[in-house]
Amino acid sequence: MERLVFENIFDAVTEDPIEAADLRFRSDLLTTLIAIFEDRKWKQADVAGALDIPQPRVSELMRGKIHLFSADKLIGYLAKLGVRLKPSFSAEHRVICEVVEAA
């Protein structure tokens, strides 16, 4: 039997590389948001207040239900927390994504 090997779980979920990339990106955004909440020691009520969303939505976010959140929505949540993703192209021909936090 042939063994299938995938670079990440999202390549196994879909055969569409664009959909896999979107899922991976949303997963990265969601993981970053959760890390910020944990770093700030926020409870779900704190998250709900900061993002202006109902507690059940916070629960879905905290449980990693990426299929319920668009990349636009997750980027908007980061913006509400004062975080901006700033992609650019370097002189060394590399894509860079700088994270800029409001002071």
Side-chain angles (χ1 to χ4, degrees):
M1 175 165 50
E2 181 182 345
R3 184 174 175 196
L4 299 176
V5 178
F6 298 97
E7 186 175 314
N8 69 70
I9 188 66
F10 301 114
D11 290 335
V13 172
T14 179
E15 292 182 15
D16 181 357
I18 294 170
E19 184 179 359
D22 178 61
L23 288 168
R24 190 170 37 249
F25 182 61
R26 288 188 286 149
S27 175
D28 291 342
L29 292 170
L30 196 140
T31 302
T32 300
L33 281 163
I34 292 171
I36 290 170
F37 304 149
E38 289 174 352
D39 183 66
R40 295 179 181 181
K41 296 180 179 22
W42 282 358
K43 299 192 180 316
Q44 288 193 10
D46 301 317
V47 175
L51 300 182
D52 193 29
I53 59 175
Q55 192 282 328
R57 192 72 170 156
V58 174
S59 178
E60 294 166 345
L61 187 68
M62 298 300 286
R63 293 188 354 221
K65 296 194 171 202
I66 64 170
H67 65 286
L68 299 176
F69 298 92
S70 68
D72 289 349
K73 182 60 74 178
L74 295 169
I75 290 169
Y77 291 162
L78 283 169
K80 284 184 176 187
L81 300 177
V83 177
R84 176 178 170 228
L85 304 178
K86 186 178 176 186
S88 60
F89 194 69
S90 75
E92 294 82 25
H93 309 285
R94 294 181 171 232
V95 175
I96 301 167
C97 187
E98 181 182 2
V99 178
V100 181
E101 292 187 68

